[in-house]
């Protein structure tokens, strides 16, 4: 396939990590990365190295960001986004490693769900900053699952320059106001269209502790159309993101021209004061 220039070729790696089997999960990621060596960016799910229900384990074996095995993921060609349980001093974080060559950056999950069956705040500390990263000629932000459900975060990512919002997830079959798959489709389409970005969503598959993860990894373009979508099983797909067309759209329809950070900051401060 001929790519536009500039463009970003993204590989979606929809895996089913085994709970606590860190070495095996890393070996599987390395195997899959070798299969997409021609991609610019490869994306694996939230906690792809560890599995989700870490509270069930006596020792979840979190990894420091400097672990050479994480850096090794960047040795197959593409830059890599992969979720992992991070050890930092005496804290643990639900994090994404952004690996490009030997360079490893980290984005920590900012909003940890702790309601109903979700108990992430019992096991992780929330991150405190949203960063954008320059990856192979594109500006990329990474959100982790519940982070996309918080409207300020994708907005901040776009105003930080993000052209691609990568969302990695561990989403299970469920239903609140709407079926969870429909909710994700709405969130991803809104992010892509309203913020003039590509939205890259990679969910895990498989069953863990009786919960079924539904996969459905996809890429949504700034026109709201889905470029590629996977089913429920372990699989991979590749999508070419036309960055030149995205940048032309932003010039033609400059929806992000006015951030009004002064307004947002003022209203946030007012609401925070009212909560006291």
């Amino acid at each position: 396939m001929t790519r536009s220039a500039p463009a970003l070729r993204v590989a979606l790696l929809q895996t089913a990590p085994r709970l606590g089997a860190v070495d095996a999960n890393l070996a599987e990621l390395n195997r899959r990365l070798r299969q997409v060596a021609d991609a610019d960016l490869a994306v694996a799910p939230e906690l792809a190295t560890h599995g989700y229900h870490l509270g069930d384990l006596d020792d979840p074996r979190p990894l420091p960001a400097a672990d050479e095995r994480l850096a090794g993921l960047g040795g197959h060609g593409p830059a890599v986004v992969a979720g992992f349980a991070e050890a930092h001093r005496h804290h643990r974080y639900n994090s994404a490693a952004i690996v490009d060559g030997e360079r490893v950056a980290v984005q920590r999950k900012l909003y940890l769900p702790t309601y109903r069956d979700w108990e992430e705040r019992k096991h992780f500390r929330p991150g405190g900053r949203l960063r954008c990263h320059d990856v192979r000629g594109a500006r990329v932000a990474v959100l982790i699952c519940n982070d996309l459900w918080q409207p300020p975060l994708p907005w901040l990512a776009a105003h930080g320059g993000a052209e691609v919002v990568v969302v990695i997830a561990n989403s299970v079959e469920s239903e609140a106001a709407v079926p969870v798959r429909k909710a994700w489709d709405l969130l991803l389409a809104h992010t892509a269209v309203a913020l003039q970005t590509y939205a890259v969503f990679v969910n895990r598959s498989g069953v863990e502790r009786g919960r079924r993860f539904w996969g459905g990894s996809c890429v949504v373009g700034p026109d709201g159309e889905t470029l590629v979508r996977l089913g429920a099983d372990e699989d991979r797909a590749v999508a070419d993101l036309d960055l030149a067309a995205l940048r032309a759209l932003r010039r033609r329809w400059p929806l992000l021209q006015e951030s009004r950070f002064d307004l947002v900051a003022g209203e946030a401060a007012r609401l925070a004061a009212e909560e006291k």
Side-chain angles (χ1 to χ4, degrees):
M1 181 176 181
T2 301
R3 287 192 271 176
S4 302
L8 188 78
R9 177 163 288 172
V10 178
L12 315 183
L13 304 181
Q14 184 169 288
T15 62
R18 292 161 48 197
L19 181 60
V22 176
D23 290 335
N25 293 331
L26 284 164
E28 177 66 9
L29 286 176
N30 281 293
R31 184 185 73 82
R32 288 173 173 269
L33 287 166
R34 288 191 289 271
Q35 297 172 340
V36 293
D38 65 337
D40 299 305
L41 175 66
V43 183
E46 177 184 14
L47 293 170
T49 61
H50 284 75
Y52 184 75
H53 295 89
L54 299 184
D56 292 352
L57 303 178
D58 292 331
D59 180 9
R61 299 168 60 201
L63 303 176
D67 192 297
E68 62 183 12
R69 291 173 293 177
L70 290 176
L73 296 175
H76 303 288
V80 179
V81 173
F84 73 109
E86 180 194 359
H88 180 67
R89 298 175 183 163
H90 56 278
H91 299 302
R92 293 176 182 169
Y93 297 90
N94 182 341
S95 297
I98 301 97
V99 187
D100 194 355
E102 296 181 353
R103 180 175 60 88
V104 179
V106 170
Q107 176 63 55
R108 294 165 176 161
K109 191 170 185 176
L110 302 170
Y111 282 81
L112 300 174
T114 303
Y115 48 79
R116 296 177 67 87
D117 295 331
W118 306 104
E119 299 183 336
E120 289 189 31
R121 268 192 179 263
K122 291 184 178 180
H123 311 298
F124 298 113
R125 181 185 179 100
R129 183 178 176 185
L130 176 63
R131 295 175 171 86
C132 289
H133 307 269
D134 294 314
V135 178
R136 308 295 170 94
R139 189 77 167 156
V140 176
V142 179
L143 301 179
I144 303 176
C145 205
N146 190 45
D147 290 344
L148 188 69
W149 294 66
Q150 316 306 317
L153 293 186
W155 183 87
L156 286 170
H159 283 286
E163 300 168 305
V164 181
V165 176
V166 171
V167 185
I168 60 174
N170 274 187
S171 180
V172 299
E173 295 279 9
S174 62
E175 184 168 346
V178 297
V180 68
R181 299 187 193 206
K182 181 178 180 180
W184 275 108
D185 282 344
L186 292 169
L187 290 166
L188 293 164
H190 179 268
T191 296
V193 174
L195 300 177
Q196 297 177 315
T197 68
Y198 284 98
V200 176
F201 171 69
V202 178
N203 188 26
R204 67 161 286 180
S205 63
V207 177
E208 185 182 292
R209 296 299 193 260
R211 287 179 167 176
R212 182 170 297 280
F213 297 86
W214 53 274
S217 302
C218 64
V219 177
V220 181
D223 57 358
E225 295 298 315
T226 301
L227 280 68
V228 65
R229 186 188 297 273
L230 293 175
D233 298 328
E234 290 185 85
D235 204 350
R236 71 177 187 270
V238 175
D240 288 304
L241 313 189
D242 190 339
L243 300 178
L246 175 69
R247 292 164 186 171
L249 173 66
R250 287 182 167 186
R251 290 192 297 271
R252 191 167 64 251
W253 295 97
L255 303 183
L256 301 174
Q257 183 169 306
E258 289 193 78
S259 62
R260 290 303 311 273
F261 286 123
D262 57 336
L263 171 66
V264 174
E267 287 299 292
R270 179 182 62 80
L271 291 171
E274 290 178 358
E275 283 191 349
K276 294 180 180 179

